[in-house]
Amino acid sequence: MAKYERPAYTVLLSEYPFELREYRDFYVVEYDNAADPDVDSGFGTLFRYISKDNQADRKISMTVLVIQELSEDRMKMAFVVPKAEWEDISQPNSPSLTVKKFDSGLFAVIQYGGYSNDRKEQDMLEKLAQWVQEKNYQPASNYMLASFNAPFVPPMFRHNEIMVRVATEQEATK
């Protein structure tokens, strides 16, 4: 995992498996397609984008993490753009992809290993929501699944996270 670039953050609080992180701004290419609410074609579309299916016809380095926004009506999937591309991010050819800035902020995170599935993701989301509440933070976004590994990585070496943007009580009442 160390060979792939990932977004910069600072750990402000660590209570394993939970962390409070402050992420710096970064860019993503996001897949959002109303005709594909479960993002079945999301990864393939994003992979084609980094494999030269973009307006610059340029190959883009692989990064981690892949982010899936979890919501009731439909999911979104995003690829983190390498920092070297930020000054000239190639626009996607696919109408299902858009370049977006992922704004800096505080995020509560729970880390877990193994294969991820709906049941495990829901369990981790509930544990994270409880920790967020215990720490008196307010969720300020949808929950997100962060995947770090290629499909062929054995379960004992896999790393996954559920994360949510949070605000402190003082920020939430402003």
Side-chain angles (χ1 to χ4, degrees), residues 2 22 24 33-34 39 41 43 56-57 61 68 72 89-90 96 101 103 117 139 143 145 159 166 168:
E22 183 173 17
R24 295 175 190 84
N33 183 345
V39 296
S41 298
F43 188 81
D57 195 33
S61 297
Q68 290 184 59
E72 301 220 359
I89 300 172
S90 181
S96 298
K101 184 177 180 186
D103 291 325
N117 58 48
Y143 284 82
L145 169 64
H159 179 82
V166 294
T168 62

Side-chain angles (χ1 to χ4, degrees), residues 115-148:
Y115 286 115
S116 200
N117 58 48
D118 291 344
R119 185 178 46 80
K120 188 182 275 188
E121 291 162 12
Q122 185 61 37
D123 181 47
M124 293 299 150
L125 189 152
E126 289 169 6
K127 288 177 181 177
L128 180 59
Q130 182 178 346
W131 188 77
V132 165
Q133 184 176 18
E134 288 170 4
K135 297 297 179 190
N136 293 316
Y137 299 124
Q138 306 299 317
S141 72
N142 287 327
Y143 284 82
M144 294 166 263
L145 169 64
S147 303
F148 290 80

Side-chain angles (χ1 to χ4, degrees), residues 5 26-27 49 56 58 81-91 99:
E5 182 181 335
F26 60 94
Y27 290 90
Y49 168 80
R58 182 172 65 225
V81 176
K83 196 170 190 174
E85 300 281 336
W86 290 3
E87 294 299 318
D88 184 26
I89 300 172
S90 181
Q91 292 301 307
V99 175

